[in-house]
Structure formats: structure tokens, C-alpha cells
Amino acid sequence: MSDAAPPARTAAVIPAAGRGVRLGPGAPKALRALNGTPMLIHAVRAMAASRAVSLVVVVAPPDGAPEVKNLLDAHALPERTDYLVVPGGETRQESVRLGLDALPDDIATVLVHDAARPLVPVDTVDAVIETVRDGAVAVVPAVPLADTVKQVEPREKGEPEPVLATPDRATLRAVQTPQGFARDTLVRAHRTVTDNVTDDASMVEQLGEPVVVVPGHEEAFKVTRPLDLVLAEAVLARRRANDGF
């Protein structure tokens, strides 16, 4: 009998506890229907599409974990992929930490993915995982900016804002998810950084650890406003026509 330890696994944590107020009243954003299926299910399937992902942890609204568990039970996922549902916290940061706390010991690589990015292609997921496995402690997919960016002096909503600078957009990237991490590094970031940050890679940056960027994909956009839902439906319609998705 071999004494070799089993290979380390990869898990994806999907914080889905937010209300999504910019999409208007109704169900939490992650549970809004996209082509008749909740966005959350699309996001879980996007992670499970990678053969490297063996576990998906969904962090549900604090009072909605049973509903989310029933939702996942009702939709087919690849047999190789297990999933857990855990109640979330008051902030995204707290929800991700609760997802990390639920991971089994043999998880070495962790993806953190926005439930509101339901259409990320599997090639992007695989590229992030591979880069972590090759030795990077933090990896983010990102795309170049198409628009010129202005740095401004913020004013009240609706008031003209003075321009302070025009950054060189060649040096800027719009960051997407899933973001990938060596588990130990991400856990340390969540234990150390108390600032309210917009993404997990920012927390790793505050540790002084290197973060690297890999190419993202235009279809990994975030569904935030009603117009984004229209675009997402169009992407799914094209996929069905081309791939039978």
C-alpha cells in the first residue's frame, strides 16, 4: 500500500449573499433568472466546467441557505464536482472568509468567483488554476480597457467633476473573476487585512505578496444593471446557436 498523500485539490468559493440593489427590487441578484435559470446556477456550472475544480462552496444569504441548497439540488452539475452551501455574512469579505472556513484540508488552490459573472468561459478558469499551480500565490484574469480613463475630483452626484489626470490606459486592466490563490496566502490575507476592499487580490497586495494578471474574457462581464441581463441573454443565445449550449 502506498503512503503517498492524495493530490491537492482545487475549490471555488462563490459569495452569493448580496442583494443586488442596482438590478432593482426582487430576489437577490444571484437568484435572478438568466435564460430561465438562476444566475447562481450558471456561475456554479462555469466553475464546475473545469475538470480541475472538485468542490464548489456557495456562500448564501444568511437566511437563505436552505433555499440555495434546494436550488442546487434541483439542477444538474458534473458528477465529479461536489458542492457545499454555507450561510454568509454582512459583507462580501466576511462571506468569503466563511467560505474559506468550510474548505476541507486537502484544498490547496482556491478560486473566488462572483456569482454575478455567470458566463466566464472554462478556458479562463483553467488558465487561472494553472498559473497558481505553477507557483503564483495570487492570479487575476483581466482585460484591457477600451475607453479612455479620467481621474477626477469626486463631487456630489450630478455635479461637474474636475479632471485631475488621464492615466495611460495601456498600463490599466479591468479585473474579473475567478481570482485564484494559494490557499494559505488567501487565508492569511483574510486573517490579517481588516480594510474593506473590493476584491481578494487587493488583500493579498496589502500583505506585500505578488499578484499576477492573466488574460480574461469579454464574456466574463459582471451582471450589475438591467442592460447587462440583456447582454447576457444574447451571449447565451449565441452559445446555444453555435454550440448547442
Side-chain angles (χ1 to χ4, degrees):
M1 179 182 295
S2 172
D3 293 330
R9 298 191 298 153
T10 296
V13 175
I14 302 180
R19 300 300 303 181
V21 293
R22 281 177 289 181
L23 277 175
K29 184 190 333 185
L31 302 184
R32 300 293 180 91
L34 180 58
N35 191 35
T37 300
M39 275 201 293
L40 175 61
I41 298 300
H42 288 285
V44 171
R45 286 174 173 169
M47 297 299 98
S50 171
R51 302 191 70 85
V53 174
S54 56
L55 173 67
V56 178
V57 177
V58 177
V59 188
D63 58 351
E67 177 187 2
V68 171
K69 175 67 164 57
N70 291 337
L71 191 68
L72 288 168
D73 287 341
H75 290 82
L77 298 173
E79 291 185 2
R80 66 177 182 273
T81 306
D82 294 327
Y83 64 87
L84 296 173
V85 178
V86 298
E90 293 299 317
T91 65
R92 181 187 185 279
Q93 198 164 325
E94 184 181 359
S95 292
V96 172
R97 181 181 58 77
L98 291 168
L100 290 174
D101 290 345
L103 296 178
D105 292 340
D106 63 344
I107 298 296
T109 300
V110 181
L111 305 179
V112 180
H113 183 58
D114 293 334
R117 297 184 190 271
L119 303 178
V120 56
V122 67
D123 288 350
T124 301
V125 181
D126 286 340
V128 171
I129 296 170
E130 182 178 352
T131 306
V132 175
R133 289 181 172 178
D134 284 345
V137 297
V139 181
V140 296
V143 293
L145 298 181
D147 298 323
T148 296
V149 175
K150 301 289 186 183
Q151 180 184 353
V152 302
E153 180 180 315
R155 296 288 175 86
E156 293 295 326
K157 184 176 181 180
E159 292 187 11
E161 298 176 321
V163 171
L164 302 179
T166 304
D168 180 3
R169 71 182 183 192
T171 66
L172 302 175
R173 298 291 182 270
V175 171
Q176 302 175 327
T177 68
Q179 299 183 356
F181 305 90
R183 178 183 180 168
D184 291 347
T185 299
L186 185 57
V187 168
R188 181 160 56 93
H190 274 269
R191 288 175 178 169
T192 304
V193 178
T194 58
D195 297 344
N196 188 20
V197 297
T198 57
D199 72 345
D200 296 271
S202 298
M203 301 175 71
V204 174
E205 290 175 47
Q206 291 191 41
L207 294 180
E209 297 285 356
V211 178
V212 299
V213 169
V214 297
H217 195 281
E218 60 184 4
E219 292 181 2
F221 61 90
K222 191 172 186 178
V223 177
T224 303
R225 297 175 175 84
L227 184 60
D228 300 325
L229 282 172
V230 176
L231 179 57
E233 293 277 7
V235 171
L236 285 174
R238 182 188 56 76
R239 288 183 180 180
R240 288 196 305 270
N242 293 345
D243 309 321
F245 178 83

